[in-house]
């Protein structure tokens, strides 16, 4: 892949959420561990030079809080996130439809959403030349705050399956 045509996709599962009684699922907040771990994802992205220029975030409270922590770590490099109702409880196919509508001026896209969609999307997009260890880690477990980094030469509109190289799978922990 030639560097000037590469697009990067970062797929993140929200940080650890709480289950308070009587609170609708969409309004579940992060628990204490989630507030500690979410910033670590932003630190990892900065350290590895994977800074998104566009973030799509599920409209659920736990994903919005995760996104806020990530953006706090990215500082003035952080883009203004776009809340996307269609990412809440979305299947991999629904997430891909949202991604397919991202403008090609975006070179590094971050999507913050929920299980099982995030894991299913990563596995659906992963090409045969993906990093084996990263692929196996993402396939076997996708805990809260986990990040998958993928690279492709295709436009966002052309992504449809097995056409992005999975390069990193990271579970930020203190």
């Amino acid at each position: 892949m030639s560097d000037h045509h590469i697009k990067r996709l970062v797929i993140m599962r929200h940080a650890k959420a709480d289950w308070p009684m009587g609170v609708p699922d969409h309004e579940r907040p992060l628990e204490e561990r989630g507030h500690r771990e979410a910033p670590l994802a932003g630190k990892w992205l900065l350290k590895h030079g994977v800074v998104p220029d566009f973030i799509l975030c599920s409209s659920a409270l736990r994903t919005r809080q995760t996104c806020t922590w990530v953006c706090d770590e990215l500082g003035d490099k952080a883009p203004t996130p776009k809340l996307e109702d269609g990412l809440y409880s979305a299947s991999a196919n629904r997430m891909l439809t949202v991604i397919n509508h991202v403008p090609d001026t975006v070179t590094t896209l971050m999507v913050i959403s929920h299980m099982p969609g995030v894991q299913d999307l990563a596995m659906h997009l992963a090409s045969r030349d993906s990093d084996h260890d990263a692929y196996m880690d993402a396939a076997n477990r996708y805990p809260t705050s986990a990040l998958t980094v993928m690279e492709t030469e295709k436009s966002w509109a052309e992504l449809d399956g097995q056409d992005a190289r999975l390069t990193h799978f990271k579970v930020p922990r203190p």
Side-chain angles (χ1 to χ4, degrees):
M1 286 190 207
S2 58
D3 285 346
H4 65 285
H5 293 296
I6 293 178
K7 293 189 180 305
R8 288 186 298 191
L9 173 63
V10 180
I11 304 168
M12 182 178 184
R13 181 181 177 190
H14 63 78
K16 182 70 175 163
D18 200 357
W19 286 91
M21 286 186 56
V23 173
D25 183 69
H26 191 269
E27 298 309 315
R28 288 177 43 219
L30 294 182
E31 70 169 29
E32 186 178 320
R33 187 179 106 195
H35 287 290
R36 286 193 314 268
E37 292 174 354
L40 300 176
K43 287 180 182 176
W44 187 90
L45 291 169
L46 265 181
K47 180 180 176 184
H48 291 86
V50 183
V51 178
D53 48 311
F54 194 61
I55 298 175
L56 288 171
C57 180
S58 160
S59 59
L61 178 59
R62 59 194 177 273
T63 50
R64 296 191 326 257
Q65 290 177 323
T66 299
C67 186
T68 297
W69 283 114
V70 169
C71 288
D72 282 352
E73 291 301 323
L74 296 176
D76 46 350
K77 293 182 178 183
T80 301
K82 180 179 185 288
L83 294 182
E84 183 63 55
D85 288 331
L87 292 176
Y88 175 67
S89 295
S91 67
N93 284 340
R94 175 68 185 122
M95 287 184 196
L96 186 55
T97 299
V98 172
I99 291 167
N100 289 154
H101 288 88
V102 170
D104 271 333
T105 53
V106 173
T107 57
T108 300
L109 170 64
M110 182 173 197
V111 175
I112 304 174
S113 195
H114 312 267
M115 279 294 278
V118 288
Q119 183 180 37
D120 293 346
L121 178 62
M123 296 299 93
H124 178 73
L125 291 176
S127 62
R128 295 182 188 273
D129 64 341
S130 292
D131 177 274
H132 178 75
D133 292 340
Y135 178 90
M136 293 308 292
D137 284 348
N140 290 318
R141 60 191 186 96
Y142 213 107
T144 54
S145 298
L147 296 166
T148 300
V149 180
M150 309 186 89
E151 295 180 347
T152 186
E153 287 188 3
K154 288 194 170 189
S155 70
W156 300 118
E158 293 175 311
L159 280 183
D160 63 2
Q162 292 191 340
D163 45 14
R165 183 174 180 269
L166 197 158
T167 59
H168 296 86
F169 179 75
K170 176 67 180 166
V171 181
R173 297 288 186 253

